[in-house]
Amino acid sequence: RFFLEGLPLGVDKATALAWVAGRLGISREETMAAGDSGNDAGMIAWAGLGIAMGNASPEAKSVADYVAPTVEDDGLAEAIERFCLRS
């Protein structure tokens, strides 16, 4: 019912994804990130392909490149199949 997240100033999921991608030598354009909450919006916006789930917050959907079906409808699996597994 309640959600509390604490992070150091200037750190969020977008900076974490950028750091991991940099450490692995993966370009921004080669990343995909999916989320459903307002705290995912920066990460979704940063990724080369940003995906919001169908049940995502309006903030997450507004920055997404693609809105997948809901979590209950296996939206993440659909997005992975669509963008990662098809040749």
Side-chain angles (χ1 to χ4, degrees):
R1 209 171 110 176
F2 297 99
F3 180 77
L4 174 67
E5 182 176 78
L7 297 169
L9 288 176
V11 176
D12 60 14
K13 291 181 180 184
T15 58
L17 179 57
W19 184 85
V20 169
R23 294 281 295 198
L24 296 174
I26 299 169
S27 72
R28 180 178 185 173
E29 295 76 24
E30 295 176 299
T31 63
M32 181 174 101
D36 63 0
S37 298
N39 68 345
D40 296 321
M43 173 185 67
I44 292 168
W46 186 88
L49 176 61
I51 298 171
M53 305 313 297
N55 56 302
S57 69
E59 184 180 8
K61 286 181 177 179
S62 73
V63 297
D65 299 304
Y66 177 72
V67 177
T70 66
V71 171
E72 293 80 12
D73 292 325
D74 299 323
L76 183 57
E78 187 273 339
I80 291 169
E81 287 177 4
R82 175 183 293 249
F83 297 109
C84 300
L85 300 179
R86 291 191 183 159
S87 51

